[in-house]
Amino acid sequence: MHRELYNPSMPAYATNMRLKFPILALTLEIITIILFAVFVVYDDGKHGGHGAHNNATHHEEKTAQNPLTLYPMFQDIHVMIFIGFGFLMTFLKRYGFSSVGLNLLLAAFALQWGLLMQGLWHLDNGKIKVSIFKMINADFSTATVLISFGAVLGKTSPVQLLIMTLLEITIFGINEHLVANVLGANDVGASMIIHAFGAYFGLAVARMLYRPALRNGHENDGSVYHSDLFAMIGTVFLWMFWPSFNSAIAEPGADQLMAVTNTYFSLAACVLSAYAVSSLVEHKGKLDMVHIQNATLAGGVAVGTCADMNIGPFGAMIIGFVAGIVSTLGFKFLTPILASNLGIQDTCGVHNLHGMPGILGGIAGIVAVALGKKDGSAAMQGAALASSLGFALVGGAMTGLIMKLPFLGQPPDQNCFDDSIYWEVPEEEEGEESLAHGDHSMNKAEA
Amino acid sequence: MHRELYNPSMPAYATNMRLKFPILALTLEIITIILFAVFVVYDDGKHGGHGAHNNATHHEEKTAQNPLTLYPMFQDIHVMIFIGFGFLMTFLKRYGFSSVGLNLLLAAFALQWGLLMQGLWHLDNGKIKVSIFKMINADFSTATVLISFGAVLGKTSPVQLLIMTLLEITIFGINEHLVANVLGANDVGASMIIHAFGAYFGLAVARMLYRPALRNGHENDGSVYHSDLFAMIGTVFLWMFWPSFNSAIAEPGADQLMAVTNTYFSLAACVLSAYAVSSLVEHKGKLDMVHIQNATLAGGVAVGTCADMNIGPFGAMIIGFVAGIVSTLGFKFLTPILASNLGIQDTCGVHNLHGMPGILGGIAGIVAVALGKKDGSAAMQGAALASSLGFALVGGAMTGLIMKLPFLGQPPDQNCFDDSIYWEVPEEEEGEESLAHGDHSMNKAEA
Amino acid sequence: MHRELYNPSMPAYATNMRLKFPILALTLEIITIILFAVFVVYDDGKHGGHGAHNNATHHEEKTAQNPLTLYPMFQDIHVMIFIGFGFLMTFLKRYGFSSVGLNLLLAAFALQWGLLMQGLWHLDNGKIKVSIFKMINADFSTATVLISFGAVLGKTSPVQLLIMTLLEITIFGINEHLVANVLGANDVGASMIIHAFGAYFGLAVARMLYRPALRNGHENDGSVYHSDLFAMIGTVFLWMFWPSFNSAIAEPGADQLMAVTNTYFSLAACVLSAYAVSSLVEHKGKLDMVHIQNATLAGGVAVGTCADMNIGPFGAMIIGFVAGIVSTLGFKFLTPILASNLGIQDTCGVHNLHGMPGILGGIAGIVAVALGKKDGSAAMQGAALASSLGFALVGGAMTGLIMKLPFLGQPPDQNCFDDSIYWEVPEEEEGEESLAHGDHSMNKAEA
């Protein structure tokens, strides 16, 4: 069985990809192009109709003079989506091609589908007018999929993941419409509708796809030295550009500056607490790369809902500080419990980076609105959080059931976390190594 | 022969670099500085003279109020040039230093030379006034060289490459002037004047430098696992910032937004078709990193000429969709034929990423102009495409002949695709070396 | 001793980190949050009080209409700080986690502390109003710490480094106030107050922490192939975004464009001279990655002070050209002398990248002001350079003495340049495979 992991002649079901995957990908893209031909036009700066009073249109009116005002922030967010999420997941030693490659595939489809699924709720004379603002929102919907991808990383086929993308974006569109337009809740940085939603959706999928055989881990479910460095590229780009993520759709001017400021300081405070707690809970006070790669970002998640609220820079720092602690403790103590007791195998620990900090952000938003830091209703904030969690858990569970359908090419247990099942993988440099470190290999069992 | 590849005592001609390369680099830079002292001044926002009616001046007038309006887009393009092209080429297992290092060297020279070669056609009272707009154009001219570099990657010396840069930029300047100012053709995203030009120029050079001994491949002409991940850094940055590349010099306002929109969706559609076709044509339906790294970008190339034309978002998606298919099929079926039948050894497959998609873009532009999607003459669009191909093939062939001059330090066949001929390469971690270089470790103390 | 380097059971003192580091990090962050609660508020665009006439306020008034005007440049600088500096230092084969990870930790603390230490000199009705301009300055103060970090890289504990950050930022704040507000000197790109200051501060610390046992080098003080490629990520991002660094706080409009232009061309010229000299001085004319990673950036440092002065593009190029030569020669000839004769072990060679080019920049500034290229006093420029060097050397020496306190967890000589003393390091790929794939190596010939 061990041999099989690296044997170039893959087991029979892997070969199924040859027709299933291309047919699905081409079909989805052709349908999308047809829907675009029917519904999507360039933004001409003129907006009317019944949607005229929501935030989006308001924002778009402001930028009508220069339609590219938001473009630099859009590109920052684009980097978060494609480099940030993509490389963050390259920490796995043998799954880097899939991490960054499938991230690109899913995101490229998700942003098209997201534009449709969000735009259909706000048609303008029967059309979706593409502005930078709408592209940012399409990138946002993409983020939910990539968060969920983290929960099931290494254990799903590209076909399954495309199905998940299709369904998750659709459900996201409903919840987002409900939260933003029906409930009228604040969630500028999307702690609730992106982070909590994406995390719990992914966890529900992971629960449905539970693999008892991986209860005791998997040989490939770990990093090597350079894969951890690749992952840091993702971490650092996410960390740097998070202020753009949380402020891009804020009201231009003072509110937007406030969102940048709050996020910047929340993240900075979060780094200190994440490092401190990582050292505190680890063997001999050493830092753990898993915590550093992930928990340092929890401050960006948790300050999301409050980002454009008048909570003061120090208020943002307290949120970030707490998020760094909660997230690190989650990685250390909660993830193993979720896996062993609840059957939730969360590959990237999205519960700790997006789930709990997302809920923390939602609660902070309730409190901040109750304290009058922003116009709004604390009850509606609470309803928004509940809605996001409800849609995520129910939607994720349903999606997970669908993904379990046997013909979707789910990889067998022994091929999990291994690129070679879906990718042509080059011969590795190794061979060479077997000489020098012949003795070294004995340490392996200790790892 | 195997030993020689890694033997620290290089063959005699490698040592030639010690004088040739520094003398050439210093001489070129000193000449450039002198030309700058004579011709180049800061942009003072005042423009006059006979060039007043071309696009550039028009653009510059618009940005005179805030001369840094285009700066964020310029930086996106800068990232494409230096990170995008540089890391895209690091896929080779032993040629990463040269890929990213020579990319930096050539680009740093090319942008200076490009500013001169483009500016001399549009002197303003005898001077070239440096604006962000002109810096973007200098980066564009640089792109042509880096595309051609891809075709000859691993088989040329730094001296040869500096000569190529000098000549290619000069010829590019002539063709660009002809296409933009004489023919008045549209090519906002430069499918023709950059991508097709750069690719066919490079292919013509590669033909001249044909190496029969590499007919059956070369041990080092391939990737290892982590080199493919480094290459993905390049791919993803190119992919993300391509909308800036295609829109930077578009008319500010609606046209520029249209160029961003078209490019964004063309690229997204291209990803789906490239992945699908890669899986379709590969062994057991697996994805091939070469396709993913390159063909996913073909949509950006192919939509270039049409980017600011009113082709509709779905029109852009169709272009991207087709480009992804054509490019992937090219890598799979055409590249081997070019190498075996035509003697064109195209290391990075620039024919598939820039050549065919560039022609596709040029043809799409002819059709779009004929259909009235943009003011212009379909005949002039066709002439622009023909001119770009003609200058590329003739210029490239002449340049290749010059590069063949024996004293330019071309590496011998067995040292191709190997950094160690031009770089100090560190001892490698592993044991590989202990085999190949049992004796080598003694040199370590000297280090 | 060799075994110890890799032995998972670390020597006793490493375990000290478990309490010292978390307590210090948490305490610093809590104190910082309290100071923010007292002093720091959002920028409301209204500025008054005695500080009304300095550059910062002037700048802030101009951007009051759109408080995010500088945001794209801020993000470029953010990338330089976190990706640029962080990855530049990953060249060490076994110290990548610390390089990019401690860079993140120190920078996250430094930007908070820097905002306070700079802001306290310019209180506005008793408050520090956070604008993008102030965030840029906080990132600037961070840069000094990261430069100094380069000098002591691999030889200091996180606790020592947090202490260094605290003290260096504080001293930086004093010198910056003196140079900018008391002396009224020009230093828009901060050749003097950031680069020379950070370098000589770090060198003074390094002198205090001199380790005679490392006189003949250290096994881990070197790169491997892929660590050099990671470092190039840092180099290239620094190189590309340096124009933002040097122009961000320039007067908006023509001056800012001039600063961009000068930096862009200085860097381009610097690349050519650095490559040429690297080849000239190296064994058989080969290029040395250390030079390429560092000396190509010296042009950005050296043109800093003059960036917004009317020195002409060719003037900037001459500065960059000279800086590339000086820096490369420094790496080759001066660094070994500093180590052997003066007891200054400068891990990253910051003397060559920031020290000498910083002084060169300061001198160029004196000359340029004397020649009337910018309003100002050559004497004050000279005083600013002297002040920066003085504060750096005295402050660094004092800081180094404090860092030597035995309970700060300085690593023993044999554990220098090794992540595993402070980080959980994954088993490396190699070795392991020789067990699992003993048979695998036979496939190699097939490749």
Side-chain angles (χ1 to χ4, degrees), chain B residues 8-10 14-15 17-19 21-22 25-26 29-30 32-33 36-37 40-43 67-68 71-72 74-75 78-79 82-83 87 90 92-97 100-102 104-105 108-109 111-112 115 130-132 135 138-139 162 224 226-227 230 233 237 419-430 444, chain C residues 69 72-73 76 93-94 219 223-230 232-233 235-237 239-245 247 253-254 256-258 260-262 264-265 267-273 275-277 279-289 292 296 307 309-314 316-318 321 325 428-430:
Chain B
S9 63
M10 299 305 308
T15 62
M17 296 300 294
R18 183 154 196 175
L19 286 180
F21 171 71
L26 293 174
E29 186 57 43
I30 289 167
T32 304
I33 292 177
F36 266 65
V40 182
V41 295
Y42 302 117
D43 184 38
L68 289 167
Y71 187 74
F74 158 69
Q75 280 294 5
H78 225 38
V79 172
F82 289 90
I83 288 283
F87 277 90
T90 57
L92 289 171
K93 66 179 112 172
R94 297 186 173 280
Y95 208 63
F97 289 10
V100 69
L102 297 185
L104 173 60
L105 172 69
F109 174 59
L111 62 85
Q112 299 175 67
L115 192 109
V130 190
S131 60
I132 303 295
M135 287 185 200
D139 270 22
L162 280 175
V224 290
H226 282 165
S227 71
F230 279 113
I233 298 174
F237 273 106
D419 281 331
S420 68
I421 189 170
Y422 301 123
W423 296 81
E424 302 283 348
V425 174
E427 292 292 310
E428 292 187 37
E429 220 156 352
E430 13 232 283
K444 219 185 144 184
Chain C
T69 302
M73 282 200 170
D76 292 351
K93 66 178 113 172
R94 296 186 173 280
E219 184 185 7
S223 64
V224 291
Y225 194 69
H226 281 166
S227 71
D228 270 326
L229 279 178
F230 278 113
M232 283 301 285
I233 298 174
T235 298
V236 178
F237 273 106
W239 195 90
M240 295 185 300
F241 290 155
W242 215 293
S244 299
F245 193 94
S247 71
Q256 197 167 32
L257 178 62
M258 193 185 285
V260 166
T261 308
N262 283 336
Y264 176 80
F265 287 118
L267 284 162
C270 177
V271 168
L272 275 281
S273 64
Y275 272 76
V277 175
S279 167
L280 207 57
V281 299
E282 279 299 314
H283 180 64
K284 296 182 190 239
K286 294 189 186 182
L287 299 164
D288 187 320
M289 259 293 170
I292 302 313
T296 52
M309 300 187 188
N310 187 19
I311 56 176
F314 81 97
M317 290 160 86
I318 292 171
F321 187 80
I325 294 169
E428 292 188 39
E429 223 158 347
E430 7 194 317

Side-chain angles (χ1 to χ4, degrees), chain C residues 160 163 167 201 204-209 393-408 410:
Chain C
Q160 287 180 301
I163 301 288
L167 297 174
F201 192 102
V205 172
R207 181 65 193 82
M208 291 297 130
L209 303 182
L393 290 169
V394 175
M398 288 182 345
T399 302
L401 278 176
I402 293 168
M403 288 166 71
K404 258 187 130 162
L405 293 174
F407 54 85
L408 298 182
Q410 178 165 310

Side-chain angles (χ1 to χ4, degrees), chain A residues 85-262:
Chain A
F85 281 104
F87 277 90
L88 184 59
M89 294 188 279
T90 57
F91 73 99
L92 288 171
K93 66 179 110 171
R94 295 185 172 281
Y95 209 63
F97 289 10
S98 301
S99 295
V100 70
L102 297 185
N103 189 82
L104 174 60
L105 172 69
L106 300 181
F109 175 59
L111 62 84
Q112 299 175 67
W113 195 248
L115 192 109
L116 289 169
M117 289 302 110
Q118 295 184 284
L120 289 176
W121 293 99
H122 312 285
L123 291 178
D124 188 347
N125 293 322
K127 297 291 180 188
I128 300 168
K129 296 186 174 181
V130 191
S131 61
I132 304 295
F133 187 86
K134 286 218 173 66
M135 287 185 201
I136 289 171
N137 274 299
D139 270 23
F140 281 172
S141 70
T142 300
T144 61
V145 174
L146 303 179
I147 292 166
S148 304
F149 180 31
V152 298
L153 189 75
K155 299 168 298 188
T156 39
S157 73
V159 169
Q160 286 180 301
L161 292 167
L162 281 175
I163 301 289
M164 185 179 87
T165 302
L166 188 77
L167 297 174
E168 181 166 0
I169 294 272
T170 308
I171 299 166
F172 165 82
I174 299 170
N175 182 58
E176 196 257 346
H177 177 66
L178 195 66
V179 166
N181 299 105
V182 179
L183 300 176
N186 294 294
D187 199 15
V188 73
S191 303
M192 300 183 288
I193 65 173
I194 294 177
H195 295 290
F197 177 88
Y200 288 98
F201 192 101
L203 294 169
V205 172
R207 180 67 192 80
M208 291 297 129
L209 304 182
Y210 176 58
R211 291 171 182 265
L214 301 189
R215 221 169 16 221
N216 300 316
H218 187 292
E219 184 186 9
N220 288 336
D221 185 8
S223 65
V224 291
Y225 194 70
H226 281 166
S227 71
D228 269 326
L229 279 177
F230 278 113
M232 283 302 285
I233 298 174
T235 298
V236 177
F237 273 107
L238 286 168
W239 195 91
M240 295 184 300
F241 290 156
W242 215 293
S244 298
F245 193 94
N246 281 356
S247 71
I249 62 169
E251 194 72 14
D255 277 14
Q256 198 167 32
L257 177 62
M258 193 185 285
V260 166
T261 307
N262 283 336

Side-chain angles (χ1 to χ4, degrees), chain C residues 93-401:
Chain C
K93 66 178 113 172
R94 296 186 173 280
Y95 208 64
F97 289 10
S98 302
S99 296
V100 71
L102 297 185
N103 189 82
L104 173 60
L105 172 69
L106 300 182
F109 175 59
L111 63 85
Q112 299 174 67
W113 195 247
L115 192 109
L116 289 169
M117 289 302 109
Q118 295 185 284
L120 290 175
W121 293 98
H122 312 287
L123 291 178
D124 187 347
N125 293 321
K127 297 290 179 188
I128 300 168
K129 297 186 173 181
V130 190
S131 60
I132 304 294
F133 187 86
K134 286 218 173 67
M135 288 184 201
I136 290 171
N137 275 300
D139 270 23
F140 281 171
S141 69
T142 300
T144 61
V145 174
L146 303 179
I147 292 165
S148 303
F149 180 32
V152 298
L153 190 74
K155 299 169 298 188
T156 39
S157 73
V159 169
Q160 287 180 301
L161 292 167
L162 281 175
I163 301 288
M164 184 179 87
T165 302
L166 188 78
L167 297 174
E168 181 166 359
I169 293 273
T170 308
I171 298 165
F172 165 83
I174 299 169
N175 182 57
E176 196 258 345
H177 177 66
L178 194 67
V179 166
N181 300 106
V182 179
L183 300 176
N186 294 294
D187 199 15
V188 72
S191 303
M192 300 183 287
I193 64 171
I194 294 178
H195 295 290
F197 177 88
Y200 289 98
F201 192 102
L203 294 169
V205 172
R207 181 65 193 82
M208 291 297 130
L209 303 182
Y210 176 57
R211 290 171 183 267
L214 302 188
R215 219 167 20 220
N216 299 317
H218 187 291
E219 184 185 7
N220 288 336
D221 186 8
S223 64
V224 291
Y225 194 69
H226 281 166
S227 71
D228 270 326
L229 279 178
F230 278 113
M232 283 301 285
I233 298 174
T235 298
V236 178
F237 273 106
L238 286 168
W239 195 90
M240 295 185 300
F241 290 155
W242 215 293
S244 299
F245 193 94
N246 281 357
S247 71
I249 62 168
E251 194 72 13
D255 278 13
Q256 197 167 32
L257 178 62
M258 193 185 285
V260 166
T261 308
N262 283 336
T263 310
Y264 176 80
F265 287 118
S266 174
L267 284 162
C270 177
V271 168
L272 275 281
S273 64
Y275 272 76
V277 175
S278 178
S279 167
L280 207 57
V281 299
E282 279 299 314
H283 180 64
K284 296 182 190 239
K286 294 189 186 182
L287 299 164
D288 187 320
M289 259 293 170
V290 172
H291 306 162
I292 302 313
Q293 285 159 3
N294 293 280
T296 52
L297 301 168
V301 173
V303 84
T305 301
C306 295
D308 64 346
M309 300 187 188
N310 187 19
I311 56 176
F314 81 97
M317 290 160 86
I318 292 171
I319 291 174
F321 187 80
V322 172
I325 294 169
V326 168
S327 182
T328 309
L329 293 176
F331 276 101
K332 184 70 183 175
F333 301 111
L334 200 54
T335 294
I337 293 174
L338 289 184
S340 60
N341 293 10
L342 298 181
I344 300 173
Q345 293 158 330
D346 176 6
T347 310
C348 294
V350 301
H351 187 241
N352 311 303
L353 171 48
H354 302 278
M356 290 190 295
I359 291 180
L360 178 61
I363 293 170
I366 295 169
V367 173
V369 166
L371 294 174
K373 301 301 184 190
K374 178 102 185 170
D375 291 345
S377 149
M380 289 302 162
Q381 293 295 127
L385 179 56
S387 168
S388 300
L389 295 175
F391 273 99
L393 290 169
V394 175
M398 288 182 345
T399 302
L401 278 176

